[in-house]
Amino acid sequence: MEKTKTQNKELTSEEQKAEINFKTDWQYAASPESTDHIQLKKKYDLFINGKFVAPAKPKYFDSINPSTEEKIAEVAEADEADVNKAVKAARDAYKGKWSKISASERAKYMFRIARIIQEKARELAVIETMDGGKPIRESRDIDIPLAAAHFFYYAGWADKLNYAVPGKTPKPLGVAGQIIPWNFPLLMAAWKIAPALATGNTVVLKPAETTSLTALKLAEIIQEADLPPGVVNIVTGAGKTGSLIVNHPGVDKIAFTGSTDIGKLIQKSLAGTHKKYTLELGGKAANIIFEDASIDQAVEGIVNGIFFNQGHVCCAGSRLFVQESVFEIVMRKLKDRIATLVVGNPLDKNTDIGAINSKAQLDKISEYHSIGLKEGAECYQPACEVPSKGYWFRPTVFWNVSQASRIVQEEIFGPVLTVQTFRTIQEVVEKANNTPYGLSGGIWTDKGSKIFKVSGELKAGVVWANTFNKFDPTSPFGGYKESGIGREGGLHGLMPYLQY
Ligand code: NAI
Ligand code: MG
């Protein structure tokens, strides 16, 4: 791949050269995952009532590979007539079939879907990486296995709903409209579809416009699993298609994951309707290192917490709080570690940081970078090479930032970390909670008692201790404040799909 050097404002050219030489001396040989085995159509229609059908108006948009800017496929844009058709198919399937068959029968289909996802794991991982830009290591080891795990887990609940809500007779709601983002495309689809099917609901799902392909591959898997037509419908398109689903009177529940701005818009339009909803929105997680932490382990976790998936993670540990006495050593180790991160071809198994998902997202991250510099923060970016085509942003750390800095307060959704210091538990809890968000947090310490005290005081839905960004289908996930409403995952994730 052709490479160009990026300029680094903080290092002299001699220092840059030394760093790049050091890295190239120690780099592994390229190890790209092959793309020979994947099957992609040139053009994808809408998946409605068990079939791929052309949109009423012949409108299609391109899905590109953000690491090469090459077009991968064309995807249909669903308009009002198409959304109406999908909702009707979902309603008919709900009434005619899905709410009538036994719960264990529902589970059988779900187990089938889970197994086919496992069988096609390699293909799905490669497509996820090509369409979204995330490193193959992550799509292979995290996204796809977890997507299968969600179907397995919720399949197990299908015939045990009476135990989930003891003493009551839980019933499905009907048709669920589900809108998902681009950061974990297949995983978010599984995260939404699996609990809906287990509880006897039918689905109209819209993937994000930059990453529709694995949802469409999932549609093929659903066909292969012989799921009754109309139980899952997948309509592609952008915000307009999403709002048509949200505002459709035939939808009984909305599940949305995405930006806080759109979440607020959706909440307003649902107010006063019969629709139930869950919103999983932004975050600005605090990752807190106490002086008694194992520093090397913590630094590895901090790096994973913010640079994992290019920081395109709502629960990313984007604010680091370091106890003052260990600030120097943490910063040194953090910079040393960041200098070794491999940025580049997401299909290469050695890559740590892949491509930014879209040009728009890259522009947003770059703007925050300039805001940080203008606000007077100190900044470190390693001098690494990035490919000449595609959307890239080097891992970035800001320190000497104030609590009021915009880069500390606002969600950047990119590989950008801010570092602040603290002296006491009370101080760090106040600073960590001083944000409009409350999705997740992390604590690094040797003392169990400190973990219990601090995690109890953090206003965050998920708090990891001596680890970060760990997911499991059995654990509920969701936020406080502007991070959203409701929980997904685990037993709690069944409730928003049931009336009882
Ligand atoms: P977005 O919130 O616009 O998109 C998420 C999904 O909502 C997509 O499928 C989109 O097509 C759909 N959508 C957009 N407008 C809609 C509307 N009016 N009604 C219904 N559905 C609608 O997020 P976007 O613009 O892609 O990213 C902007 C920022 O949002 C990011 O920089 C990041 O800060 C945040 N974000 C947070 C995510 C999370 O997981 N919490 C995921 C994606 C983005
Ligand atoms: Mg794409």
Side-chain angles (χ1 to χ4, degrees), residues 180-182 206 209 242-243 256 258-259 281 314 361 364 411 413:
I180 56 173
W182 38 262
K206 191 196 84 64
E209 52 273 36
S243 77
F256 172 81
S259 61
L281 311 174
C314 46
Q361 191 61 28
K364 178 180 168 183
E411 185 182 49
F413 225 63

Side-chain angles (χ1 to χ4, degrees), residues 48-235:
I48 298 176
N49 209 19
K51 289 195 194 73
F52 282 94
V53 294
K57 290 184 195 154
K59 280 204 265 179
Y60 291 82
F61 60 94
D62 293 346
S63 202
I64 66 151
N65 179 335
S67 70
T68 60
E69 299 175 53
E70 279 162 11
K71 171 173 158 183
I72 312 175
E74 272 174 39
V75 179
E77 183 184 329
D79 217 326
E80 193 167 356
D82 308 304
V83 171
N84 288 346
K85 205 159 135 188
V87 174
K88 182 174 184 307
R91 174 69 53 195
D92 291 349
Y94 175 71
K95 279 201 213 141
K97 180 92 183 181
W98 201 241
S99 60
K100 301 240 163 66
I101 64 174
S102 71
S104 55
E105 194 70 10
R106 285 204 307 271
K108 235 163 36 186
Y109 288 110
M110 294 180 65
F111 280 123
R112 239 186 243 167
I113 295 170
R115 278 194 298 267
I116 306 176
I117 292 176
Q118 285 185 323
E119 279 165 26
K120 296 186 191 287
R122 195 159 154 231
E123 184 187 11
L124 291 167
V126 170
I127 296 174
E128 199 73 302
T129 285
M130 286 171 66
D131 200 19
K134 65 170 59 192
I136 186 73
R137 218 173 49 210
E138 281 166 20
S139 39
R140 182 195 64 194
D141 298 347
I142 296 167
D143 294 64
I144 312 302
L146 269 177
H150 273 81
F151 276 102
F152 277 123
Y153 172 74
Y154 279 111
W157 268 118
D159 60 356
K160 300 172 196 72
L161 298 176
N162 287 332
Y163 300 98
V165 197
K168 307 249 170 91
T169 314
K171 290 200 178 64
L173 302 172
V175 176
Q178 307 183 320
I179 295 155
I180 56 173
W182 38 262
N183 51 350
F184 293 91
L186 184 72
L187 179 56
M188 285 296 121
W191 199 327
K192 297 265 186 289
I193 294 174
L197 296 192
T199 46
N201 297 276
T202 57
V203 167
V204 177
L205 174 120
K206 191 196 84 64
E209 52 273 36
T210 56
T211 54
S212 308
L213 298 182
T214 45
L216 294 160
K217 292 301 283 186
L218 180 62
E220 291 174 2
I221 290 171
I222 283 168
Q223 272 182 328
E224 198 178 324
D226 241 347
L227 191 75
V231 172
V232 173
N233 304 275
I234 296 179
V235 292

Side-chain angles (χ1 to χ4, degrees), residues 38 81 96 131 147 163 172 180 186 191 209 215 292 333 341 381 397 419 430 464 483:
I38 64 162
D131 200 19
Y163 300 98
I180 56 173
L186 184 72
W191 199 327
E209 52 273 36
D292 55 20
K333 289 188 180 233
L341 292 174
Q381 287 182 317
V397 182
V419 188
E430 264 173 38
W464 287 289
S483 289

